[in-house]
């Protein structure tokens, strides 16, 4: 009896122990992994019954909770759930578009699947989650292995002590309920797709392993960077090879586990949109071996110009949501990203603004290969809770995860800290502090934000105080859609008192594919095309303009676009419809970019 009581106390305290903070291993897509993609059982849990306690309102796992993966058997103890008898859903994927009754579901949903694993001795094992929107709580064999907040960035939960040799089970509770202190907050103009929306896998690494690495080209033409080793001893050797450049570097770790490299390449072919050359890079630290494909280029600002490899560049862009073409839903596959970037290429784009959150790593990998420059953004969108410390911490965490994952992508030139945030001291301090963080984490890239254009009469003075913290000023404007008529655009005067490079990070208007009519009739393809033409006339009078990212490549689901017969739950500002039909404006932009590209 006493032994039982002790067992129960120990068992409960193990369950209640706070879960570890997840980490983030870079280049997971270059490591051997056991994929957990596929069918998972799921239980929809709007009342949070799965945490196991009916009397407490807090989400703490208890012995009756779903994390135990119990099974009810006739005559056995009372268990009021059973994953094995519950339906399945595909991972990666949002739940909203896989199950008709979950289209509008926002709340808690539990995922479960079994997996076989045979850990090798002296290794660390991680559960890798590419993204879980919005909050995730992960359990392996009933051990609470980690919690994570933020729906668009990857994380790795160490499961070394939880995973057994043989068949294991993993339970992940994902909750996409919106809340005021979240990032993003309760309002946005896109669908709040919930679930395990990106790949999930198990990754095993040696005792001492490379968890982070980065290499970049300096303005003086050297390749510099580091590899970071966790679990090693100070002074251990790390080597770095770039076979195609016949470069071999060697360094030893400092007391923080970091081995720094600086080498001078001969005959380097610089990465650019015209020549997206990637080099295979190999790092070796003891038993760990990690490869990456890295392009080398420089990016900087000089006055109001953006210089790529020392030469002024104009960014022929388009804004892109991570919406899956043809099927609507969160983009998650190779096919999704190659369709989206394929359309951008057809438009003669050399740039995409990936809105409004970090996209799947497939997107930045493919941009690297295709030679498309990238603006990558965190979901600090509209009016978040600027004075809330938790909100700041979550924004900072997402910034950190975005930078850490993609710091080695040559395509990524701009870290965007926010979108359309109304001016206030608290907001400027919040984003200004994020800018300091971003520069600290990655001194090699440019910092931007998409701001609301301050307009007075027909003059736009680009003086949002946030601009002081940025390298490149993004401004969104909707002349001809939310204000005035398309033909008003050319008579607008633009001033850039900060003398920084400017990107018009959004402009556009809605059109339903196939709806034709006079050019002054809203929602027709002709009206949308008219907006584009008039904008181009306006851009000619903006000497400091260094790029544009019209809104938006493809129609996307949005719960705030409800005009029946036209919007039907979609933001229709796409150049391409959700079914892949190209609208008139697509071809207008294509012509314009073809001219600029010459
Ligand atoms: C904006 C927002 C974007 C919206 C777009 C629109 O300014 O940045 O998220 O979807 O306008 O269509 O109104």
């Amino acid at each position: 009896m006493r032994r039982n009581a002790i067992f129960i106390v120990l068992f409960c305290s193990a369950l209640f122990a706070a879960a570890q903070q997840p980490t983030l291993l870079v280049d997971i897509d270059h490591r051997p992994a056991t994929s957990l993609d596929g069918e998972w059982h799921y239980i929809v849990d709007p009342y949070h019954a799965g945490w196991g306690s009916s009397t407490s309102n807090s989400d703490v796992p208890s012995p009756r909770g779903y994390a135990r993966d119990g099974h009810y058997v006739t005559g056995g103890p009372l268990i009021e759930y059973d994953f094995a008898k519950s339906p399945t859903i595909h991972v990666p994927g949002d739940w909203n578009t896989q199950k008709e009754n979950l289209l509008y579901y926002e709340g808690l949903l539990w995922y479960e699947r079994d997996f076989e694993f045979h850990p090798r001795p002296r290794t660390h094992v991680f559960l890798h989650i590419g993204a879980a929107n919005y909050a995730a709580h992960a359990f392996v064999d009933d051990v609470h292995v980690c919690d994570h907040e933020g729906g668009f960035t990857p994380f790795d939960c160490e499961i070394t002590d939880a995973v057994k040799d043989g068949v294991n089970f993993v339970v992940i509770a994902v909750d996409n309920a919106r809340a005021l202190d979240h990032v993003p907050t309760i309002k946005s103009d896109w669908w709040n797709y919930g679930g395990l929306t990106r790949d999930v896998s198990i990754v095993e690494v040696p005792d001492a392993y490379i968890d982070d690495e980065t290499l970049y080209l300096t303005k003086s033409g050297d390749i510099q960077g580091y590899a970071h080793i966790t679990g090693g001893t100070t002074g251990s050797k790390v080597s770095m090879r770039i076979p195609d450049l016949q470069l071999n570097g060697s360094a030893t770790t400092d007391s923080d586990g970091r081995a720094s490299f600086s080498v001078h390449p001969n005959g380097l072919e610089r990465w650019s949109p015209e020549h997206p050359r990637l080099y295979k890079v190999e790092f070796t630290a003891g038993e760990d071996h990690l490869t990456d494909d890295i392009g080398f280029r420089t990016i900087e600002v000089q006055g109001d110009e953006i210089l790529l490899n020392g030469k002024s560049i104009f960014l022929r862009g388009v804004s892109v949501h991570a919406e899956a073409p043809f099927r609507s839903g969160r983009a998650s596959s190779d096919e999704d990203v190659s369709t989206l970037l394929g359309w951008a290429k057809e438009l003669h784009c050399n740039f995409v603004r990936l809105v409004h959150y970090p996209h799947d790593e497939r997107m930045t990998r493919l941009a690297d290969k295709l030679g498309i420059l990238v603006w990558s953004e965190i979901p600090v969108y509209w009016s978040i809770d600027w004075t809330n410390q938790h909100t700041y911490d979550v924004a900072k965490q997402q910034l950190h995860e975005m930078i850490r994952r993609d710091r080695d992508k040559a395509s990524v030139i701009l870290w965007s800290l926010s979108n359309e945030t109304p001016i206030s001291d608290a907001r400027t301090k919040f984003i200004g502090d994020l800018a300091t963080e971003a520069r600290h984490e990655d001194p090699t890239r440019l910092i931007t934000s998409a701001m609301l254009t301050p307009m007075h009469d027909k003059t736009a003075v680009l003086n949002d105080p946030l601009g002081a913290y940025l390298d490149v000023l993004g401004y969104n404007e909707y002349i001809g859609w939310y204000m005035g008529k398309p033909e008003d655009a050319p008579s607008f005067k633009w001033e850039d008192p900060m003398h920084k490079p400017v990107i018009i990070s959004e402009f556009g208007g809605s059109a339903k594919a196939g709806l034709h009519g006079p050019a002054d009739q809203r929602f027709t393809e002709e009206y949308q095309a008219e907006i584009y033409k008039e904008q181009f006339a306006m851009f000619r009078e903006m000497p400091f303009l260094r790029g544009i990212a019209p809104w938006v490549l493809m129609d996307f689901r949005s719960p705030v676009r409800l005009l029946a017969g036209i919007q039907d739950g979609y933001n229709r500002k796409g150049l391409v419809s959700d079914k892949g039909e190209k609208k008139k404006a697509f071809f207008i932009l294509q012509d314009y970019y073809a001219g600029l590209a010459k």
Side-chain angles (χ1 to χ4, degrees), residues 188-190 321 353 355-356 381-382 419-420 450 452 476 478 481-482 506 510 551 556 561 571 573:
S188 71
D189 184 13
W190 72 83
H321 254 297
R353 175 181 174 214
V355 293
H356 278 304
Y381 183 89
W382 291 350
N419 178 75
E420 289 191 351
L452 290 156
N476 297 352
Y478 281 90
W481 188 256
Y482 293 122
E506 288 180 27
S510 297
W551 192 259
F556 57 96
R561 306 291 174 178
N571 183 313
K573 296 192 189 71

Side-chain angles (χ1 to χ4, degrees), residues 207-209 228-238 251-259 285-286:
D207 235 357
Y209 58 96
H228 183 268
I229 315 301
T230 288
T233 48
T234 306
S236 17
K237 187 179 157 212
V238 182
T252 51
T253 53
D254 62 15
S255 55
D256 290 331
R258 194 180 263 229

Side-chain angles (χ1 to χ4, degrees), residues 431-487:
I431 304 174
D433 287 351
L434 289 179
T436 307
E437 289 294 332
R439 287 183 200 287
H440 174 71
E441 292 222 15
D442 181 6
T444 76
R445 282 187 177 72
L446 307 177
I447 306 295
T448 193
S449 269
M451 295 171 281
L452 290 156
T453 302
M455 302 258 192
H456 303 284
D457 300 323
K458 281 195 162 184
T459 305
V461 182
L462 305 180
N463 60 1
D464 183 322
L466 180 58
Y469 298 89
L470 310 174
D471 301 308
V472 174
L473 311 178
Y475 278 100
N476 297 352
E477 52 89 5
Y478 281 90
I479 303 167
W481 188 256
Y482 293 122
M483 67 177 299
K485 299 201 170 101
E487 62 270 25

Side-chain angles (χ1 to χ4, degrees), residues 265-459:
N266 289 318
L268 176 76
E269 296 168 41
R270 289 185 179 219
W271 185 99
S272 70
E274 298 74 34
H275 185 66
R277 174 72 156 100
L278 299 176
Y279 288 92
K280 178 77 64 204
V281 179
E282 302 168 4
F283 292 94
T284 304
E287 289 172 36
D288 200 19
H289 188 67
L290 186 66
T291 65
D292 197 0
D293 301 288
I294 305 183
F296 298 99
R297 50 100 190 107
T298 60
I299 189 77
E300 65 197 296
V301 153
Q302 205 172 72
D304 63 17
E305 300 205 283
I306 300 172
L307 307 185
L308 177 74
N309 293 322
K311 279 199 240 123
S312 182
I313 186 166
F314 186 86
L315 303 171
R316 306 186 304 272
V318 67
S319 294
V320 184
H321 254 297
E323 182 91 353
F326 310 113
R327 62 182 158 84
S328 299
R330 186 54 75 229
S332 59
S333 68
D334 290 335
E335 207 182 335
D336 293 339
V337 303
S338 66
T339 304
L340 292 169
L341 291 188
W343 284 329
K345 270 282 187 196
E346 261 188 73
L347 284 166
H348 307 293
C349 289
N350 61 4
F351 173 61
V352 285
R353 175 181 174 214
L354 300 183
V355 293
H356 278 304
Y357 37 74
H359 288 211
D360 194 293
E361 190 169 4
R362 288 177 167 86
M363 198 74 170
T364 45
R365 284 275 182 222
L366 187 61
D368 259 14
K369 284 190 195 138
L370 295 178
I372 300 181
L373 297 158
V374 170
W375 158 317
S376 182
E377 184 161 297
I378 49 170
V380 173
Y381 183 89
W382 291 350
S383 295
I384 65 167
D385 195 351
W386 304 116
T387 54
N388 185 317
Q389 186 60 40
H390 176 74
T391 306
Y392 181 77
D393 292 344
V394 182
K396 189 173 116 181
Q397 173 73 19
Q398 296 186 54
L399 177 70
H400 163 74
E401 289 165 346
M402 170 177 80
I403 293 178
R404 186 167 161 121
R405 192 195 73 182
D406 277 354
R407 181 164 41 191
D408 255 1
K409 314 286 193 296
S411 55
V412 180
I413 53 167
L414 288 158
W415 299 127
S416 168
L417 306 176
S418 59
N419 178 75
E420 289 191 351
T421 51
I423 298 174
S424 72
D425 289 349
R427 157 284 204 170
T428 304
K429 176 167 181 357
F430 186 110
I431 304 174
D433 287 351
L434 289 179
T436 307
E437 289 294 332
R439 287 183 200 287
H440 174 71
E441 292 222 15
D442 181 6
T444 76
R445 282 187 177 72
L446 307 177
I447 306 295
T448 193
S449 269
M451 295 171 281
L452 290 156
T453 302
M455 302 258 192
H456 303 284
D457 300 323
K458 281 195 162 184
T459 305

Side-chain angles (χ1 to χ4, degrees), residues 11-12 15-16 51-52 61-65 68 81:
F11 175 75
C12 290
L15 271 174
F16 281 99
W51 289 107
S62 89
R64 288 173 58 192
R68 300 198 71 179
Y81 70 96

Side-chain angles (χ1 to χ4, degrees), residues 36-289:
L36 297 187
D37 289 352
E39 296 301 306
W40 290 55
H41 290 286
Y42 74 98
I43 297 175
V44 184
D45 185 16
Y47 283 25
H48 293 209
W51 289 107
S53 168
S54 49
T55 49
S56 155
N57 286 332
S58 60
D59 288 344
V60 180
S62 89
R64 288 173 58 192
Y66 297 178
R68 300 198 71 179
D69 188 22
H71 303 282
Y72 175 70
V73 282
T74 316
L78 175 63
I79 295 179
E80 295 183 87
Y81 70 96
D82 192 342
F83 282 109
K85 298 194 177 105
S86 300
T88 63
I89 195 162
H90 194 79
V91 172
D94 61 83
W95 62 58
N96 313 75
T97 61
Q98 291 192 62
K99 307 283 168 186
E100 222 173 303
N101 63 337
L102 297 182
L103 181 63
Y104 279 97
Y105 183 65
E106 293 184 304
L108 184 63
L109 185 145
W110 296 78
Y111 288 85
E112 188 278 338
R113 70 163 281 168
D114 295 346
F115 65 97
E116 196 174 327
F117 197 72
H118 304 285
R120 287 177 285 131
R122 297 186 315 281
T123 60
H124 289 269
V125 186
F126 291 91
L127 170 67
H128 173 78
I129 299 176
N133 190 35
Y134 170 80
H137 312 275
F139 305 81
V140 167
D141 296 340
D142 203 12
V143 179
H144 191 174
V145 289
C146 74
D147 298 318
H148 183 264
E149 186 173 343
F152 302 96
T153 42
F155 54 100
D156 296 279
C157 312
E158 174 139 23
I159 61 169
T160 314
D161 295 335
V163 75
K164 297 188 308 268
D165 190 25
V167 177
N168 297 263
F169 62 90
V170 51
V171 172
I172 307 177
V174 183
D175 192 342
N176 73 335
R178 286 168 293 125
L180 278 171
D181 65 346
H182 287 179
V183 181
T185 180
I186 54 172
K187 283 194 184 178
S188 71
D189 184 13
W190 72 83
W191 210 272
N192 179 25
Y193 293 124
L196 296 171
T197 54
R198 296 187 191 154
D199 300 327
V200 178
S201 59
I202 305 283
V203 179
E204 189 175 33
V205 293
D207 235 357
Y209 58 96
I210 306 163
D211 61 350
D212 188 18
E213 58 83 6
T214 183
L215 287 180
Y216 59 91
L217 186 65
T218 65
K219 277 176 232 159
S220 55
D222 291 333
I223 291 176
Q224 287 186 0
Y226 66 85
H228 183 268
I229 315 301
T230 288
T233 48
T234 306
S236 17
K237 187 179 157 212
V238 182
S239 67
M240 183 274 290
R241 276 175 17 96
I242 308 180
D244 283 3
L245 288 169
Q246 278 123 41
L247 272 182
N248 294 301
S250 176
T252 51
T253 53
D254 62 15
S255 55
D256 290 331
R258 194 180 263 229
S260 301
F261 300 96
S262 180
V263 287
H264 188 79
N266 289 318
L268 176 76
E269 296 168 41
R270 289 185 179 219
W271 185 99
S272 70
E274 298 74 34
H275 185 66
R277 174 72 156 100
L278 299 176
Y279 288 92
K280 178 77 64 204
V281 179
E282 302 168 4
F283 292 94
T284 304
E287 289 172 36
D288 200 19
H289 188 67

